[in-house]
Amino acid sequence: MKQLPKEIACTLDELMRLEFMVNDFSLLPRQPVHSVLSGKHASKLRGRGLDFSELRKYVYGDDIRNIDWKVTARTKQTHTKVFNEEKERPCFVIVDQSSSMFFASDGAVKSVVAAQMAAISGFKVLKAGDRIGGLVFGDNSFETIQPKRSRKNLMHLLESIVTKNQALVDRRKVQDKQDIINKVLFKAKNVITHDYVVVVISDFSNINEQGVQYLTSIAQHNDVIAVMINDKMEINLPGGALPVTDGEFQVMIKDSDKHIKNFEKAASENRTATIDYFRKYGIPFMEFNTHDSLVEQIKWIFGKR
């Protein structure tokens, strides 16, 4: 395949170079997450689990919720349980590389931004000593990579992303992705067990009720973080005539055409409905756009200066 601009298709080498960013943010933020487009959204994740370590006498300042009342009653002295933080928290990254992601009015296309976010998340998880795996999907297929604590496994995930990313360049027709999203989330629901960090990177266009139910099911026993990739032109189309194609035919549509107004309305309603869903079910989410630097957006969202 010929070399394409990095804004159109990514390469493994380009994703590997993003490893330098892993020191700049935490995948489990303690402070509220700031959405690029929507202000503050509280992010209250479970964090790592705790393993029981020992019993000791209560010391002023200890959490009273950890008092062992049976031992306290038996010894006549207040004792508290001490816990150690778990050393492992597997991460499962679901990456959308379907047709709707191959779009940008300025900067990198959404599929490239999604690939970059997946790579940065993977490097961060691996550096923390946790297992990394995921599921990468396009219009008609998906690949699942089981979480492992190895750089080789991360490379496997990134290679899968690059393959589906570059395949978007050669596709000839945009396809409805509701079916593939449902299949992907159903598969993820059966692969993911408990206490995972699940990062879903997509524009979440056309997700339907069935897909929402699968995502809710995953979130019951895991920390789901939604990463929305948006483009400013999807909600605010520019004036004048616009060329529109389905991959076979092309027409020019004027900004006064009712189809333009309908598109803007549908895009705005879809984004609002998706955000409302995340808020309703307490799923932390972040929004990234295609026209600003990804590095700067990450620094801004995670409060780095």
Side-chain angles (χ1 to χ4, degrees):
M1 182 178 179
K2 65 179 181 180
Q3 187 68 31
L4 294 166
K6 62 181 181 180
E7 294 82 7
I8 301 299
C10 63
T11 65
L12 184 59
D13 287 343
E14 289 164 356
L15 295 184
M16 292 291 293
R17 283 196 283 270
L18 293 172
E19 188 172 4
F20 79 94
M21 288 191 62
V22 300
N23 293 321
D24 287 346
F25 75 101
S26 169
L27 203 58
L28 296 175
R30 294 180 180 178
Q31 301 299 324
V33 172
H34 298 268
S35 167
V36 172
L37 300 179
S38 300
K40 289 186 177 181
H41 304 280
S43 174
K44 189 175 181 181
L45 302 181
R46 294 179 180 84
R48 295 174 182 266
L50 299 176
D51 284 332
F52 174 74
S53 175
E54 63 179 349
L55 281 169
R56 63 167 170 78
K57 291 182 181 180
Y58 179 83
V59 178
Y60 178 76
D62 286 342
D63 192 336
I64 61 174
R65 292 173 297 180
N66 293 332
I67 292 176
D68 190 317
W69 295 107
K70 290 183 179 180
V71 174
T72 297
R74 187 170 64 250
T75 63
K76 307 301 182 182
Q77 290 183 309
T78 306
H79 281 70
T80 184
K81 297 177 182 177
V82 179
F83 297 87
N84 286 330
E85 190 178 54
E86 287 180 359
K87 299 303 182 183
E88 181 184 77
R89 190 79 193 278
C91 181
F92 198 85
V93 184
I94 301 175
V95 190
D96 187 349
Q97 293 290 300
S98 60
S99 289
S100 73
M101 298 291 285
F102 192 67
F103 176 80
S105 59
D106 186 19
V109 294
K110 291 189 286 184
S111 57
V112 169
V113 178
Q116 293 171 342
M117 278 301 305
I120 293 168
S121 299
F123 285 122
K124 181 66 177 179
V125 170
L126 197 62
K127 180 166 183 166
D130 293 332
R131 289 181 290 152
I132 178 67
L135 194 157
V136 187
F137 70 97
D139 288 322
N140 302 306
S141 63
F142 56 84
E143 181 180 4
T144 304
I145 294 91
Q146 293 293 337
K148 294 180 182 178
R149 192 185 300 105
S150 74
R151 192 176 183 84
K152 182 178 180 181
N153 203 57
L154 176 57
M155 294 305 101
H156 183 187
L157 176 63
L158 297 185
E159 287 170 354
S160 178
I161 293 172
V162 169
T163 297
K164 293 202 180 304
N165 181 271
Q166 295 189 351
L168 284 172
V169 179
D170 297 323
R171 79 184 181 340
R172 291 291 178 263
K173 193 171 184 179
V174 176
Q175 301 182 32
D176 188 330
K177 68 178 187 179
Q178 282 190 355
D179 287 340
I180 189 65
I181 278 187
N182 288 344
K183 291 177 181 176
V184 163
L185 293 178
F186 178 76
K187 175 69 174 178
K189 182 175 73 73
N190 291 307
V191 170
I192 299 167
T193 54
H194 290 73
D195 301 319
Y196 276 63
V197 174
V198 182
V199 182
V200 186
I201 308 174
S202 175
D203 59 2
F204 295 97
S205 64
N206 297 321
I207 188 169
N208 63 17
E209 185 176 355
Q210 185 66 70
V212 167
Q213 290 177 358
Y214 291 148
L215 194 58
T216 303
S217 178
I218 295 171
Q220 287 179 348
H221 301 292
N222 302 278
D223 291 322
V224 175
I225 304 172
V227 179
M228 300 177 65
I229 312 296
N230 294 316
D231 185 271
K232 58 185 178 181
M233 185 174 169
E234 291 175 308
I235 298 176
N236 296 304
L237 293 173
L242 296 173
V244 178
T245 178
D246 64 355
E248 293 185 55
F249 304 99
Q250 179 172 303
V251 296
M252 299 297 293
I253 299 180
K254 296 181 179 180
D255 56 359
S256 59
D257 193 290
K258 66 177 182 180
H259 294 95
I260 293 292
K261 302 302 180 183
N262 290 341
F263 176 86
E264 290 179 333
K265 181 180 178 182
S268 178
E269 290 178 347
N270 178 75
R271 175 179 172 274
T272 300
T274 302
I275 290 174
D276 287 345
Y277 159 69
F278 292 147
R279 287 173 173 162
K280 178 180 178 180
Y281 292 98
I283 297 177
F285 73 94
M286 294 167 276
E287 290 189 85
F288 290 85
N289 63 62
T290 58
H291 55 277
D292 289 325
S293 161
L294 179 61
V295 174
E296 293 305 314
Q297 288 185 75
I298 289 176
K299 289 180 178 179
W300 191 89
I301 287 176
F302 289 94
K304 299 296 181 180
R305 294 293 182 266

